[in-house]
Amino acid sequence: MSLLVVGSVAYDGIETPFGSIDRILGGSATYISITSSYFTESINLVGVVGKDFRDEEIEFLKSRNIDLTGLQIDKSGDTFFWKGKYHFDLNNRDTLDTQLNVFEHFDPIIPEDYKNARYVALGNIEPGLQSKVLEQIDNPDFVVMDTMNFWIEGALESLKKTLKRVNMLVINDSEARELADEPNLMKAAEIVLGMGPEALIIKKGEHGALLFTQDGIFSAPAYPVVDIFDPTGAGDSFLGGLLGWLAYTDDRSAENMRRAVIFGSVMASFCVEKFGPDRFKTLTEKEVFERYRAFISLSQIPELG
Ligand code: AMP
């Protein structure tokens, strides 16, 4: 099934306890597209980059079969730049710099050929723009959105309007608490589901993720990665793996939703093994499915004898 991905395409500067890099490909739409490309063949990316965006990034995205008709190249400025620094425990990061550049005036125009997308990923952008994307799409089957504290604090009303139009929200635990204004995560989930989406995923970093639907709660572990190097993009890779699997199978049953959450965790676990999206330059489909199987044995709880 065709998958439309809208979000940021960026250059990132990253500092982790293991090393740093001044400039590497990043952005929410980048990670979502790359990771979903392991599952579904028709991925259409909508975003904007500036005059400094290198051909080698375009080649890499094309090598993953990502259609770039919707990637605007705005020669009037540079690509969105974000710089982050991770702390010793890697779960916390500080944003050191955000230069919106051409992203400041990003107007997501959906090409005619993309308007019949069945699955849609709304990466982390201003919630009004996320709604604007949905207004241009015919009648999608399943829309997943991401957001962040910045919009919860600065554009709450707009965010609530967008939430009414999506099927699933994927956020981390602190964002869920903030959005619901409720410290208890279970109660927060109930409040957020009351805002519109029929499904909610709460990511808990290296402690896994929770899926909330009307069928109940599913708790997925995180893969115990030995070679964790750079967490940038893990959240978006989770979303890409999850939605890529759903788009490929076109099956939104409770059981398949659980598989999708695990494929999200699989892609996030690979993402953190190298700087930026570098791990995906060598990752094979075989490794993806092997890790899914490793998840099965990792979390198998024996029946009571
Ligand atoms: P994640 O680690 O999955 O939460 O996402 C990391 C990516 O988000 C990086 O590659 C950044 O380029 C991108 N990013 C950071 N801040 C923003 C922002 N304000 N809007 C859109 N994308 C952002």
Side-chain angles (χ1 to χ4, degrees):
M1 290 292 149
S2 58
L3 171 52
L4 172 66
V5 181
V6 185
S8 56
V9 179
Y11 277 122
D12 292 342
I14 302 165
E15 286 179 32
T16 82
F18 313 108
S20 61
I21 194 157
D22 290 340
R23 196 174 161 79
I24 192 166
L25 177 64
S28 57
T30 306
Y31 283 103
I32 295 169
S33 303
I34 293 171
T35 47
S36 55
S37 74
Y38 281 82
F39 306 98
T40 184
E41 278 169 16
S42 174
I43 295 160
N44 300 322
L45 187 157
V46 170
V48 64
V49 293
K51 60 180 181 329
D52 58 339
F53 202 67
R54 292 177 296 218
D55 286 347
E56 64 182 271
E57 327 294 5
I58 302 269
E59 291 316 312
F60 174 42
L61 294 171
K62 282 190 177 161
S63 76
R64 295 294 327 155
N65 266 333
I66 298 163
D67 188 292
L68 299 177
T69 312
L71 182 67
Q72 304 163 25
I73 299 174
D74 182 345
K75 300 272 185 200
S76 71
D78 283 337
T79 303
F80 173 72
F81 179 78
W82 172 80
K83 184 168 184 178
K85 181 184 167 126
Y86 292 86
H87 298 256
F88 192 63
D89 75 357
L90 294 171
N91 271 334
N92 292 311
R93 75 176 172 207
D94 294 329
T95 290
L96 301 181
D97 194 6
T98 300
Q99 296 169 22
L100 291 174
N101 298 330
V102 295
F103 197 50
E104 188 172 358
H105 303 293
F106 176 47
D107 183 13
I109 297 165
I110 310 301
E112 219 41 56
D113 286 356
Y114 294 2
K115 289 189 173 168
N116 60 358
R118 305 279 304 280
Y119 286 78
V120 180
L122 299 173
N124 174 25
I125 52 174
E126 197 272 308
L129 288 183
Q130 292 176 319
S131 280
K132 192 170 174 190
V133 169
L134 296 181
E135 276 148 26
Q136 297 172 69
I137 300 173
D138 292 340
N139 193 14
D141 290 334
F142 200 74
V143 180
V144 180
M145 73 175 271
D146 185 12
T147 192
M148 69 189 292
N149 298 44
F150 185 72
W151 306 122
I152 298 171
E153 287 152 25
L156 186 59
E157 285 319 304
S158 171
L159 176 59
K160 283 185 175 168
K161 276 189 199 146
T162 311
L163 267 177
K164 288 197 169 59
R165 310 176 67 166
V166 305
N167 302 89
M168 177 187 267
L169 172 68
V170 181
I171 47 177
N172 67 34
D173 45 1
S174 69
E175 291 160 350
R177 290 189 171 97
E178 194 172 347
L179 178 58
D181 195 18
E182 164 60 56
N184 177 306
L185 210 51
M186 296 304 119
K187 288 184 187 163
E190 208 173 300
I191 294 169
V192 174
L193 284 173
M195 295 178 180
E198 71 228 36
L200 168 69
I201 289 190
I202 299 183
K203 297 170 290 180
K204 297 184 294 164
E206 62 187 345
H207 306 297
L210 295 167
L211 165 70
F212 298 86
T213 61
Q214 58 186 20
D215 297 306
I217 304 173
F218 172 58
S219 172
Y223 188 76
V225 180
V226 178
D227 297 318
I228 178 158
F229 197 74
D230 167 22
T232 308
D236 299 313
S237 298
F238 180 97
L239 201 163
L242 176 135
L243 197 57
W245 176 258
L246 287 182
Y248 165 63
T249 54
D250 196 25
D251 170 1
R252 299 185 297 278
S253 64
E255 192 181 52
N256 204 48
M257 282 286 186
R258 291 182 175 212
R259 288 190 195 105
V261 173
I262 300 298
F263 275 115
S265 307
V266 165
M267 298 317 281
S269 75
F270 281 118
C271 180
V272 302
E273 289 180 355
K274 287 206 168 143
F275 260 131
D278 274 357
R279 181 65 179 90
F280 303 116
K281 291 189 170 153
T282 55
L283 182 69
T284 63
E285 240 169 67
K286 185 165 169 273
E287 288 174 294
V288 169
F289 284 86
E290 273 167 10
R291 189 157 290 182
Y292 184 95
R293 289 188 195 97
F295 263 91
I296 297 177
S297 54
L298 177 73
S299 46
Q300 217 150 39
I301 299 171
E303 294 285 347
L304 284 175

